[in-house]
Amino acid sequence: MRGSARRAARVLPSARALPSAGSAPPRPAAVGPTGPSPRHTAVVLAVVGAGFGTYVLLITAPDRHADSTSTLFSGAVGGLYLAAGLLARLRRPRNAVGLLMLLVGIGWFAEDLQISADPLVHTVGLFVTSASSGFLIPLLLVFPDGRLRSRHGPGHGCPRDPDVEAGPPASDRRNHPTAAAVVDRTLVVAGCSVAFVLVPLSVFFHPSVVPNLLLVHPVWELHQVIDAVQFVMSGAVVAVLVWRWASATPPARRVLSPLLAVGLVGGLASGLDALLGTHGDWLHTPLLTAVHLSVLLLPLAFLAGVWRVRLGRTAVAELLRKMPFDSRAELNEALARALGDRPLQVGYPTPDGAGYLDADGRPLVVRPGRQITALERDGRRVGVLVHDPALWEDRYVLEAVLSATALELANQALVAELRASRREVIEAGDKQRQVVQQSLHDGAQQKFINLGLQLELARRRLDRRPAPDRDPELARMLEAAVTTLHQGHTELRMAARGIHPAVLTEAGLMAALRALAADLPLQIDLHAPALPPLPEPVEITVFYVVKEAISNVLKHAHAHTVRVDLRFDPGPADGDGTGVLRLSITDDGVGGVDPARGSTGLFGLRPRVSAYDGELTVHSRPGEGTTVSVTLPTALRTPCDNAESAEKSRNSEKDDAPR
């Protein structure tokens, strides 16, 4: 009975269908209070299968022969299927994989009934000669998500967000969903038809060594026909599943690889043994051993596929340890590396909430075969994750990543809101200081000027009087009043400039820095290559940092010279004009700047710098001077912005013209 010895390899184990893109993992359906739970059913099936298998092994043990599988081997294979199926069903009760593995194990034991020398038991066994194969084909095709591929292809059933752009048309896809769905269902129907229709019908025409109690008429060629059909189906299953593995993404291949490796070995050995027939007797034993080993390892391969996904938990734990990240691109790269999904994308809501942007700030485009999963925090969507659907095979890992990513995005949004709020406060303060400065310029300073003119006119009139009519004391009082008035006007002008540098608004950053350097009793070397037009908040921030740094030099450094360097590094040529403004203020003083001993004004500017995504650092060693460095990301103004700035400058010059 050489054919019965090869019964385990009539269907070849191999790869599986990819889950539908965009579809969430199987959600548990509601179970009525009176219906048995899937876990309870699995336990019952496992117990019944174990009892049935024990009974079959006991009654067939005396009748086994050289070409049949041994009692130990049959028990090991059937037991492994039952154990693996029970574990899979308990872990994912709504997934059909566990149930099918239990049925394969029971079918495996049922096939051994044909080995019995008892005519009645043997005849019953002939009806279930291919029972395990009938359940194995669907198991292979639905592993690991428990569903056949949909004719709608990747993305069917996915709650696509209308704000996320679709990728290339269906003609660019590597798989053809309708054809794949038809092939899968054809193989399932054909396999079940052979195992549960054709094989049972052949019992009435199947002669065997042990008497067949239901034999009507022997048809010697029927057995070869059934073997040929099963061989063709085995080849078709192998071809389909190898193609699935070849077109799968890395996360899916981690699941498929163990199953495919075992299946190919068993399938090739079985096919070669069948092709050689009686001409390959010298290879029959080693080929049969390879087939038996592959069948024995097959249930373990199912579990290994899931285990290989779980090995990714180490990388995920490392990912969680490194959070938070400094940039969107860094977060995207870390997620892709941890989950083994290089095309992974994180989608960030647009400011108006009408769509999503990728890490580079471009509209998010989703390619076919990808799944969109919402990232939510406290019931609010903070973004989306576009990933390989195969990552749902270990939903606990993916859900942990989703939760951590949602928290990261929520924190980033909170930091952005805080930074925007800080900017609003800073800019509101700058505007208010500008108003105060303008009020002093138009109000108090003008009154000082008018009063000075009046006193000067009074002094001149007094000087024009004849000597006997002059009052020397009055002349001295007028002279002292004019001097005091000029001093007060100078102090008021300096105070107004400290509140807000009018020259910065009127003539720009470089003019303001030159004016600042001109009034200082210190050599200031200003080096600034041609700078592009900069946003006003950036110019104000740079001015205040330079002013405060020089003020600290005057108070503490005992320096002779200060060097101020300004440089603008543009972004990529194909970018949006963004760049980085780099500022450094270096003195030759005593160094040793310590916030605990003063210099708090300089460090107090850090919140202003960080509000504009900048960074302020201070390097100061005793005896080596001090270097204050600032980097400020910025964006070039548009021509329209420059025109508006020039118009404001002209209006300001008109308003401040001498009256």
Side-chain angles (χ1 to χ4, degrees):
M1 296 179 64
R2 182 176 176 179
S4 64
R6 300 198 310 266
R7 59 186 174 80
R10 286 174 178 167
V11 178
L12 307 180
S14 187
R16 50 153 285 243
L18 290 177
S20 298
S23 57
R27 300 294 182 182
V31 178
T34 59
S37 69
R39 290 188 174 92
H40 179 265
T41 303
V43 172
V44 171
L45 278 175
V47 172
V48 171
F52 174 69
T54 303
Y55 168 75
V56 171
L57 294 177
L58 289 175
I59 66 172
T60 59
D63 304 321
R64 292 182 181 268
H65 46 84
D67 280 347
S68 68
T69 56
S70 67
T71 302
L72 179 61
F73 178 81
S74 292
V77 174
L80 283 174
Y81 269 109
L82 292 178
L86 179 61
L87 289 175
R89 193 67 169 173
L90 292 178
R91 179 176 176 267
R92 299 183 66 181
R94 297 296 174 180
N95 191 310
V97 167
L99 176 60
L100 287 171
M101 291 180 73
L102 288 169
L103 294 176
V104 170
I106 295 174
W108 174 269
F109 285 129
E111 291 180 2
D112 273 1
L113 291 173
Q114 64 179 308
I115 301 174
S116 175
D118 182 272
L120 178 60
V121 177
H122 172 72
T123 302
V124 173
L126 293 178
F127 281 92
V128 290
T129 300
S130 300
S132 64
S133 298
F135 296 117
L136 188 57
I137 288 180
L139 173 61
L140 293 170
L141 295 178
V142 303
F143 179 80
D145 58 2
R147 293 169 295 171
L148 294 173
R149 289 180 293 180
S150 168
R151 63 183 178 86
H152 299 282
H156 176 59
C158 170
R160 289 256 182 207
D161 197 315
D163 301 324
V164 180
E165 293 186 21
S171 58
D172 293 339
R173 301 179 184 178
R174 297 179 63 183
N175 295 318
H176 302 279
T178 301
V182 171
V183 169
D184 285 357
R185 284 156 179 78
T186 300
L187 288 175
V188 170
V189 171
C192 293
S193 299
V194 171
F196 303 119
V197 178
L198 182 59
V199 169
L201 288 176
S202 70
V203 172
F204 300 101
F205 310 97
H206 179 73
S208 59
V209 176
V210 179
N212 177 1
L213 301 181
L214 297 178
L215 179 62
V216 175
H217 180 73
V219 179
W220 300 99
E221 297 81 8
L222 184 58
H223 183 68
Q224 286 74 21
V225 171
I226 294 176
D227 280 348
V229 171
Q230 290 181 329
F231 179 77
V232 171
M233 288 182 54
S234 298
V237 171
V238 169
V240 169
L241 299 178
V242 169
W243 167 248
R244 289 181 181 175
W245 183 90
S247 60
T249 53
R253 288 182 180 179
R254 288 200 299 268
V255 183
L256 309 181
S257 295
L259 192 63
L260 183 63
V262 174
L264 283 178
V265 171
L268 291 175
S270 175
L272 184 60
D273 190 33
L275 285 175
L276 293 176
T278 57
H279 301 287
D281 287 341
W282 62 280
L283 283 176
H284 173 61
T285 299
L287 290 175
L288 190 61
T289 301
V291 171
H292 286 173
L293 286 176
S294 66
V295 172
L296 183 63
L297 294 176
L298 188 56
L300 299 178
F302 281 109
L303 293 181
V306 177
W307 177 249
R308 290 197 65 179
V309 175
R310 288 177 174 268
L311 291 180
R313 295 185 178 187
T314 302
V316 172
E318 182 68 13
L319 166 73
L320 299 179
R321 187 185 67 81
K322 291 182 178 179
M323 287 184 172
F325 294 97
D326 295 332
S327 66
R328 292 179 172 182
E330 187 178 350
L331 171 63
N332 205 106
E333 175 64 22
L335 287 171
R337 186 169 54 252
L339 294 174
D341 184 14
R342 301 307 302 176
L344 179 142
Q345 295 174 287
V346 179
Y348 301 86
T350 56
D352 58 3
Y356 296 96
L357 304 175
D358 61 16
D360 297 324
R362 295 186 293 263
L364 184 65
V365 178
V366 179
R367 301 294 179 183
R370 309 293 291 170
Q371 176 172 332
I372 305 173
T373 301
L375 298 171
E376 296 183 348
R377 185 70 182 172
D378 297 329
R380 181 173 63 93
R381 180 176 290 194
V382 296
V384 294
L385 190 69
V386 182
H387 60 89
D388 191 320
L391 294 176
W392 275 114
E393 293 314 314
D394 195 346
R395 62 180 301 167
Y396 303 104
V397 168
L398 184 58
E399 286 177 351
V401 172
L402 292 174
S403 178
T405 306
L407 178 61
E408 174 81 358
L409 264 60
N411 289 341
Q412 289 182 2
L414 183 62
V415 170
E417 292 175 3
L418 179 62
R419 185 173 292 137
S421 177
R422 183 182 295 172
R423 288 180 183 177
E424 291 177 0
V425 171
I426 291 173
E427 292 172 8
D430 290 341
K431 293 296 182 184
Q432 189 61 37
R433 283 193 292 271
Q434 187 174 1
V435 170
V436 172
Q437 183 272 333
Q438 193 67 34
S439 298
L440 290 175
H441 179 274
D442 296 340
Q445 290 191 67
Q446 290 297 328
K447 289 181 173 60
F448 267 101
I449 293 174
N450 293 337
L451 181 57
L453 292 175
Q454 293 175 7
L455 289 175
E456 185 68 29
L457 181 61
R459 189 179 62 176
R460 290 177 181 178
R461 286 185 178 180
L462 181 63
D463 290 341
R464 286 198 296 267
R465 289 184 179 183
D469 296 336
R470 295 178 186 173
D471 185 348
E473 185 65 24
L474 179 59
R476 285 193 298 272
M477 292 176 63
L478 285 174
E479 185 66 27
V482 170
T483 301
T484 302
L485 181 65
H486 284 312
Q487 292 175 348
H489 186 205
T490 301
E491 292 176 1
L492 180 61
R493 187 172 68 251
M494 293 297 294
R497 182 182 297 176
I499 293 174
H500 182 80
V503 65
L504 183 63
T505 304
E506 298 167 2
L509 177 61
M510 296 308 301
L513 293 178
R514 292 190 185 98
L516 176 65
D519 294 337
L520 297 174
L522 189 67
Q523 181 180 345
I524 307 295
D525 295 332
L526 182 61
H527 299 269
L531 296 176
L534 300 171
E536 183 179 5
V538 173
E539 292 184 335
I540 295 176
T541 299
V542 170
F543 178 84
Y544 280 132
V545 170
V546 174
K547 180 177 179 297
E548 187 61 39
I550 294 177
S551 176
N552 284 334
V553 171
L554 293 173
K555 293 178 183 178
H556 310 291
H558 307 293
H560 300 289
T561 60
V562 176
R563 179 183 176 92
V564 179
D565 289 289
L566 265 174
R567 186 178 78 255
F568 180 79
D569 292 339
D574 58 348
D576 57 0
T578 59
V580 177
L581 186 67
R582 303 186 186 278
L583 165 69
S584 67
I585 307 105
T586 305
D587 66 66
D588 59 356
V590 298
V593 172
D594 185 358
R597 301 197 312 258
S599 305
T600 55
L602 183 60
F603 288 94
L605 288 172
R606 277 180 173 164
R608 172 188 279 272
V609 174
S610 64
Y612 295 98
D613 302 326
E615 182 179 4
L616 184 149
T617 58
V618 177
H619 299 281
S620 182
R621 293 183 179 180
E624 298 182 6
T626 300
T627 298
V628 179
S629 301
V630 174
T631 57
L632 274 170
T634 183
L636 299 177
R637 288 177 180 168
T638 63
C640 179
D641 294 331
N642 294 334
E644 291 179 0
S645 178
E647 183 64 25
K648 289 180 180 178
S649 179
R650 286 193 294 270
N651 293 338
S652 177
E653 292 173 359
K654 292 178 182 178
D655 293 339
D656 295 333
R659 298 176 183 174

mmCIF file of all heavy atoms in Angstrom, residues 450-466:
data_model
loop_
_atom_site.group_PDB
_atom_site.id
_atom_site.type_symbol
_atom_site.label_atom_id
_atom_site.label_comp_id
_atom_site.label_asym_id
_atom_site.label_seq_id
_atom_site.Cartn_x
_atom_site.Cartn_y
_atom_site.Cartn_z
ATOM 1 N N ASN A 450 10.292 120.002 21.080
ATOM 2 C CA ASN A 450 9.614 121.308 21.083
ATOM 3 C C ASN A 450 10.053 122.150 22.277
ATOM 4 O O ASN A 450 10.306 123.366 22.152
ATOM 5 C CB ASN A 450 8.106 121.103 21.118
ATOM 6 C CG ASN A 450 7.588 120.474 19.835
ATOM 7 O OD1 ASN A 450 8.227 120.573 18.780
ATOM 8 N ND2 ASN A 450 6.437 119.811 19.917
ATOM 9 N N LEU A 451 10.142 121.505 23.459
ATOM 10 C CA LEU A 451 10.575 122.246 24.644
ATOM 11 C C LEU A 451 12.015 122.724 24.488
ATOM 12 O O LEU A 451 12.362 123.854 24.890
ATOM 13 C CB LEU A 451 10.446 121.346 25.874
ATOM 14 C CG LEU A 451 10.837 121.974 27.222
ATOM 15 C CD1 LEU A 451 10.015 123.234 27.507
ATOM 16 C CD2 LEU A 451 10.667 120.957 28.346
ATOM 17 N N GLY A 452 12.878 121.893 23.886
ATOM 18 C CA GLY A 452 14.260 122.320 23.655
ATOM 19 C C GLY A 452 14.333 123.512 22.716
ATOM 20 O O GLY A 452 15.140 124.427 22.937
ATOM 21 N N LEU A 453 13.507 123.508 21.680
ATOM 22 C CA LEU A 453 13.483 124.642 20.754
ATOM 23 C C LEU A 453 13.034 125.914 21.464
ATOM 24 O O LEU A 453 13.583 127.011 21.240
ATOM 25 C CB LEU A 453 12.568 124.323 19.572
ATOM 26 C CG LEU A 453 13.071 123.225 18.618
ATOM 27 C CD1 LEU A 453 12.006 122.931 17.567
ATOM 28 C CD2 LEU A 453 14.368 123.666 17.946
ATOM 29 N N GLN A 454 12.020 125.791 22.324
ATOM 30 C CA GLN A 454 11.526 126.963 23.049
ATOM 31 C C GLN A 454 12.594 127.520 23.995
ATOM 32 O O GLN A 454 12.795 128.747 24.110
ATOM 33 C CB GLN A 454 10.258 126.606 23.816
ATOM 34 C CG GLN A 454 9.077 126.285 22.912
ATOM 35 C CD GLN A 454 7.864 125.813 23.690
ATOM 36 O OE1 GLN A 454 7.851 125.847 24.916
ATOM 37 N NE2 GLN A 454 6.850 125.363 22.949
ATOM 38 N N LEU A 455 13.292 126.615 24.716
ATOM 39 C CA LEU A 455 14.341 127.081 25.621
ATOM 40 C C LEU A 455 15.490 127.723 24.843
ATOM 41 O O LEU A 455 16.070 128.736 25.280
ATOM 42 C CB LEU A 455 14.857 125.904 26.453
ATOM 43 C CG LEU A 455 13.901 125.357 27.518
ATOM 44 C CD1 LEU A 455 14.492 124.127 28.187
ATOM 45 C CD2 LEU A 455 13.588 126.433 28.568
ATOM 46 N N GLU A 456 15.818 127.133 23.719
ATOM 47 C CA GLU A 456 16.893 127.705 22.901
ATOM 48 C C GLU A 456 16.495 129.083 22.384
ATOM 49 O O GLU A 456 17.332 130.018 22.353
ATOM 50 C CB GLU A 456 17.192 126.758 21.726
ATOM 51 C CG GLU A 456 18.371 127.172 20.858
ATOM 52 C CD GLU A 456 19.683 127.062 21.608
ATOM 53 O OE1 GLU A 456 19.792 126.201 22.517
ATOM 54 O OE2 GLU A 456 20.609 127.832 21.281
ATOM 55 N N LEU A 457 15.229 129.223 21.987
ATOM 56 C CA LEU A 457 14.746 130.525 21.529
ATOM 57 C C LEU A 457 14.772 131.543 22.659
ATOM 58 O O LEU A 457 15.177 132.710 22.468
ATOM 59 C CB LEU A 457 13.322 130.378 20.976
ATOM 60 C CG LEU A 457 12.671 131.648 20.441
ATOM 61 C CD1 LEU A 457 13.485 132.212 19.271
ATOM 62 C CD2 LEU A 457 11.239 131.371 19.985
ATOM 63 N N ALA A 458 14.388 131.141 23.867
ATOM 64 C CA ALA A 458 14.413 132.051 25.021
ATOM 65 C C ALA A 458 15.837 132.474 25.334
ATOM 66 O O ALA A 458 16.101 133.651 25.662
ATOM 67 C CB ALA A 458 13.777 131.360 26.228
ATOM 68 N N ARG A 459 16.802 131.520 25.241
ATOM 69 C CA ARG A 459 18.194 131.871 25.532
ATOM 70 C C ARG A 459 18.735 132.858 24.497
ATOM 71 O O ARG A 459 19.481 133.794 24.825
ATOM 72 C CB ARG A 459 19.041 130.600 25.552
ATOM 73 C CG ARG A 459 20.457 130.838 26.062
ATOM 74 C CD ARG A 459 21.243 129.549 26.095
ATOM 75 N NE ARG A 459 21.397 128.980 24.767
ATOM 76 C CZ ARG A 459 22.112 127.883 24.514
ATOM 77 N NH1 ARG A 459 22.692 127.242 25.509
ATOM 78 N NH2 ARG A 459 22.219 127.424 23.283
ATOM 79 N N ARG A 460 18.381 132.676 23.243
ATOM 80 C CA ARG A 460 18.847 133.597 22.209
ATOM 81 C C ARG A 460 18.268 134.993 22.401
ATOM 82 O O ARG A 460 18.953 136.001 22.187
ATOM 83 C CB ARG A 460 18.487 133.047 20.834
ATOM 84 C CG ARG A 460 19.300 131.812 20.441
ATOM 85 C CD ARG A 460 18.848 131.277 19.094
ATOM 86 N NE ARG A 460 19.614 130.065 18.720
ATOM 87 C CZ ARG A 460 19.404 129.372 17.629
ATOM 88 N NH1 ARG A 460 18.442 129.775 16.756
ATOM 89 N NH2 ARG A 460 20.128 128.313 17.381
ATOM 90 N N ARG A 461 17.007 135.038 22.754
ATOM 91 C CA ARG A 461 16.403 136.356 23.006
ATOM 92 C C ARG A 461 17.084 137.045 24.182
ATOM 93 O O ARG A 461 17.287 138.264 24.184
ATOM 94 C CB ARG A 461 14.914 136.200 23.281
ATOM 95 C CG ARG A 461 14.112 135.897 22.027
ATOM 96 C CD ARG A 461 12.630 135.865 22.345
ATOM 97 N NE ARG A 461 11.844 135.609 21.129
ATOM 98 C CZ ARG A 461 10.509 135.537 21.108
ATOM 99 N NH1 ARG A 461 9.839 135.676 22.242
ATOM 100 N NH2 ARG A 461 9.885 135.314 19.959
ATOM 101 N N LEU A 462 17.413 136.266 25.189
ATOM 102 C CA LEU A 462 18.099 136.850 26.338
ATOM 103 C C LEU A 462 19.489 137.355 25.942
ATOM 104 O O LEU A 462 19.931 138.424 26.399
ATOM 105 C CB LEU A 462 18.205 135.816 27.457
ATOM 106 C CG LEU A 462 18.870 136.276 28.754
ATOM 107 C CD1 LEU A 462 18.060 137.420 29.409
ATOM 108 C CD2 LEU A 462 19.002 135.122 29.753
ATOM 109 N N ASP A 463 20.155 136.618 25.058
ATOM 110 C CA ASP A 463 21.492 137.019 24.627
ATOM 111 C C ASP A 463 21.445 138.292 23.783
ATOM 112 O O ASP A 463 22.448 139.039 23.737
ATOM 113 C CB ASP A 463 22.158 135.903 23.822
ATOM 114 C CG ASP A 463 22.521 134.707 24.687
ATOM 115 O OD1 ASP A 463 22.587 134.870 25.923
ATOM 116 O OD2 ASP A 463 22.721 133.585 24.123
ATOM 117 N N ARG A 464 20.305 138.530 23.093
ATOM 118 C CA ARG A 464 20.212 139.724 22.249
ATOM 119 C C ARG A 464 19.918 140.997 23.056
ATOM 120 O O ARG A 464 19.966 142.099 22.516
ATOM 121 C CB ARG A 464 19.148 139.521 21.182
ATOM 122 C CG ARG A 464 19.589 138.563 20.076
ATOM 123 C CD ARG A 464 18.710 138.712 18.835
ATOM 124 N NE ARG A 464 17.339 138.338 19.101
ATOM 125 C CZ ARG A 464 16.823 137.123 18.901
ATOM 126 N NH1 ARG A 464 17.629 136.152 18.429
ATOM 127 N NH2 ARG A 464 15.566 136.871 19.164
ATOM 128 N N ARG A 465 19.579 140.877 24.307
ATOM 129 C CA ARG A 465 19.320 142.071 25.127
ATOM 130 C C ARG A 465 20.636 142.800 25.433
ATOM 131 O O ARG A 465 21.695 142.173 25.499
ATOM 132 C CB ARG A 465 18.650 141.674 26.443
ATOM 133 C CG ARG A 465 17.216 141.223 26.261
ATOM 134 C CD ARG A 465 16.589 140.942 27.615
ATOM 135 N NE ARG A 465 15.194 140.523 27.487
ATOM 136 C CZ ARG A 465 14.404 140.277 28.522
ATOM 137 N NH1 ARG A 465 14.889 140.401 29.754
ATOM 138 N NH2 ARG A 465 13.167 139.910 28.319
ATOM 139 N N PRO A 466 20.493 144.133 25.672
ATOM 140 C CA PRO A 466 21.701 144.882 26.073
ATOM 141 C C PRO A 466 22.252 144.319 27.375
ATOM 142 O O PRO A 466 21.532 143.749 28.195
ATOM 143 C CB PRO A 466 21.205 146.323 26.243
ATOM 144 C CG PRO A 466 19.952 146.381 25.411
ATOM 145 C CD PRO A 466 19.344 145.011 25.504
#
